[in-house]
Structure formats: structure tokens, C-alpha cells
Amino acid sequence: MKRIAMIGAGISGMTCASRLQTAGIEVVVFDKSRGPGGRITTRRRESGRFDHGAQYFTVESADFQRTVDVWAAAGVVEEWRGRFAEWKDGAFISKESVGKRWVAQPRMSALSRHLAEGLTLHLQ
């Protein structure tokens, strides 16, 4: 049996590890952080929690859209309906949103926890 050590528990590392594992290859994921996620982590502070890194993500390929549809059906992600504006001449001016933006629920770290399911992780 082939064995692989994957360095990094971000979206790419966990997706790659999951696909290798599905193909019958033993994978162990190593990351320096306290939990999986890379750029889709949630930070905790005295004032509350906030998403650190990616606040949302977009989809540009049909293959990735199929994956996002599976995540949405599982309740892991949903379309973000935030508003955009720009500050111009002392006032906020609403901007039209182009394309869908997606967020994990209830916070971005939920997606990393979902991607880590079934993987062997060694953290810190």
C-alpha cells in the first residue's frame, strides 16, 4: 500500500488528501496550526469570533460548482447575500454584486472541519 504525508491542512491539502484516500492510498496530513483550514479559519477574541482570511469564495468552473452543490445540500455552505459599496465623495454608494459568493455555515471554519472528516490529521 502506498503511503503519503501531506503538508498543510488548508482547502487544497485536505481536498488532495481526501481524493488520494478515496483512491486507496493511506494519507496523513500535517499542519502547524491548532486546527485545519489554512486561509478559511475562524479566530476567537474577547470581542467574539471572526473569519480570518477568506470571508467568502466564488465558483468559476463547472467541476467546482458540482462540489459546492454537494456542500450546499449538506448544509455546509450557502450563498452569501452581503452587500458591497464604495466610499466616494464622502458617501457610500451601493455597488451591484456580480456572481454568487459562498460562505460556510455557521462560519468559514465549518468548511475546513467538513473537509477534514475521515482524514488523519496531526496538528501543532
Side-chain angles (χ1 to χ4, degrees):
M1 174 182 252
K2 294 182 181 181
R3 298 177 71 202
I4 292 181
M6 181 72 58
I7 308 299
I11 292 174
S12 296
M14 289 188 295
T15 299
C16 188
S18 180
R19 289 186 179 184
L20 288 167
Q21 187 168 283
T22 299
I25 298 170
E26 183 182 345
V27 181
V28 178
V29 181
F30 295 87
D31 197 281
K32 64 178 174 55
S33 299
R34 290 183 302 131
R39 295 184 187 269
I40 58 166
T41 59
T42 301
R43 303 275 181 176
R44 293 184 197 104
R45 296 290 183 256
E46 288 181 21
S47 57
R49 295 178 179 176
F50 65 95
D51 289 328
H52 177 261
Q55 291 81 31
Y56 61 84
F57 63 91
T58 59
V59 177
E60 295 186 16
S61 75
D63 284 341
F64 187 45
Q65 184 62 62
R66 284 189 288 278
T67 298
V68 171
D69 290 343
V70 170
W71 294 342
V76 177
V77 301
E78 68 180 32
E79 185 179 353
W80 182 62
R81 302 195 186 277
R83 298 178 303 173
F84 288 88
E86 82 177 271
W87 181 257
K88 189 172 184 179
D89 298 324
F92 281 110
I93 300 169
S94 290
K95 293 187 80 173
E96 191 71 26
S97 180
V98 177
K100 286 185 179 181
R101 290 172 171 83
W102 297 88
V103 293
Q105 291 300 315
R107 53 195 162 272
M108 288 301 274
S109 59
L111 179 56
S112 59
R113 286 192 308 277
H114 176 76
L115 292 171
E117 289 176 9
L119 296 175
T120 301
L121 298 174
H122 289 279
L123 303 169
Q124 294 187 335

